[in-house]
Amino acid sequence: MIEQTRRAAETGVDAQRSAMETWFGSFESVKSAQKSGVTLSKSAIEAYLDGLKSVYPEESVAELEAAVDEQFEAVDEIHEDAWQSFLDGLDEAEATYDELTEMQLELLADGFDAVEQVQAEAEETTEEAVASAEELAESA
């Protein structure tokens, strides 16, 4: 019974660790999706500016295009730096989580070892008490 409980507890910790690893790993996909959103926004603005060229002088639209390009370059740079910083922080958090999980598994093992030792000692004490009682009954 104790061994089954130990395995169940360890399995629970392992499942929790796997879920966290999946969660930590999911952020690369989020980064990619966000980058795609920025690219889509840029394409939509460029299409809008192309449409303006038919209504306004091309020189004035060119200035606006240059400003928009400059802003999107800044966004790209900030985006990359921010994500790198965030992902670095996630790596550190994941390493810390792994350390804590290992510690949790060690503490679980120590706790179950202690319970098994107490149980073995209790069995031994009970057997000794029964043997003593039997000797006393035979001698009486």
Side-chain angles (χ1 to χ4, degrees), residues 68-80:
V68 167
D69 287 343
E70 185 178 307
Q71 292 302 310
F72 272 104
E73 285 174 17
V75 166
D76 286 343
E77 186 177 312
I78 291 168
H79 181 265
E80 195 57 41

Side-chain angles (χ1 to χ4, degrees), residues 3 8 18 31 49 80 138:
E3 190 59 33
S18 293
K31 176 185 173 187
L49 292 174
E80 195 57 41
E138 287 176 7

Side-chain angles (χ1 to χ4, degrees), residues 24 28 80-95:
F24 282 125
E28 279 295 334
E80 195 57 41
D81 290 346
W83 269 104
Q84 192 56 52
S85 178
F86 177 73
L87 293 174
D88 289 347
L90 273 182
D91 287 344
E92 290 176 26
E94 186 173 11

Side-chain angles (χ1 to χ4, degrees), residues 50-75:
D50 284 344
L52 287 179
K53 287 178 186 174
S54 65
V55 179
Y56 295 103
E58 195 167 319
E59 306 82 42
S60 60
V61 176
E63 288 177 27
L64 189 55
E65 282 178 323
V68 167
D69 287 343
E70 185 178 307
Q71 292 302 310
F72 272 104
E73 285 174 17
V75 166

Side-chain angles (χ1 to χ4, degrees), residues 5 19 23 29 44-45 62 71 75 77 89 101 107 114 119-120 122 136:
T5 305
W23 182 75
S29 298
I45 291 172
Q71 292 302 310
V75 166
E77 186 177 312
T101 301
L107 290 171
Q119 182 181 8
L136 252 169

